Amino acid sequence: MQIKPGLPWKELPLGGVIDVPGSSVEFHTGDWRSSRPVIDLNKCTGCMLCWLNCPDNAIKIKNGKVEIDYDHCKGCGLCASVCPVKAISMRREALEEEERHGSKHKP
Ligand code: SF4
Ligand code: SF4
């Protein structure tokens, strides 16, 4: 049985057993993240250590460049800590949100 978001609890399998692999793709776990990794591609050497260490498989390769899958990145910061050239910085989601939509607190 595939567990999907919004499934009523009465329809969950006994013991919450996950018997279909890959079901986590359906859940956008990134929506409760408090910090997000941002990659500076000018610094990135393509060593792939971030990809190798991400516990959520949230780093993808597109057109030969690393990219974050923000739907599934939980913001743990492991990628930033292993990057040998410090190409990844962790930014507070609240600040990102302010920058996207403008802040009331700006002078
Ligand atoms: S912050 Fe954590 S979950 Fe997100 S991409 Fe980096 S290692 Fe993966
Ligand atoms: S660990 Fe850093 S340098 Fe290596 S691929 Fe990831 S972002 Fe690029």
Side-chain angles (χ1 to χ4, degrees):
M1 168 192 212
Q2 181 130 18
I3 299 178
K4 292 193 176 257
L7 189 73
W9 69 268
K10 286 183 179 176
E11 293 178 28
L12 289 173
L14 277 180
V17 171
I18 295 171
D19 54 4
V20 176
S23 60
S24 59
V25 172
E26 301 283 339
F27 294 87
H28 286 184
T29 47
D31 58 10
W32 49 260
R33 178 184 55 235
S34 60
S35 295
R36 68 165 51 202
V38 176
I39 302 176
D40 180 348
L41 290 174
N42 292 319
K43 288 186 187 171
C44 174
T45 61
C47 70
M48 305 307 296
L49 274 176
C50 54
W51 171 81
L52 193 64
N53 284 278
C54 175
D56 291 302
N57 195 22
I59 295 180
K60 309 292 180 196
I61 319 296
K62 285 219 174 125
N63 302 322
K65 293 181 177 161
V66 284
E67 195 176 284
I68 311 284
D69 168 6
Y70 289 115
D71 284 341
H72 297 98
C73 163
K74 297 187 185 108
C76 67
L78 193 53
C79 54
S81 69
V82 298
C83 178
V85 293
K86 305 288 176 220
I88 304 176
S89 53
M90 298 302 293
R91 302 206 50 188
R92 300 286 301 167
E93 282 291 347
L95 293 176
E96 288 285 312
E97 193 68 18
E98 273 181 19
E99 280 181 17
R100 273 197 295 272
H101 302 293
S103 168
K104 291 177 191 163
H105 307 295
K106 276 187 182 165

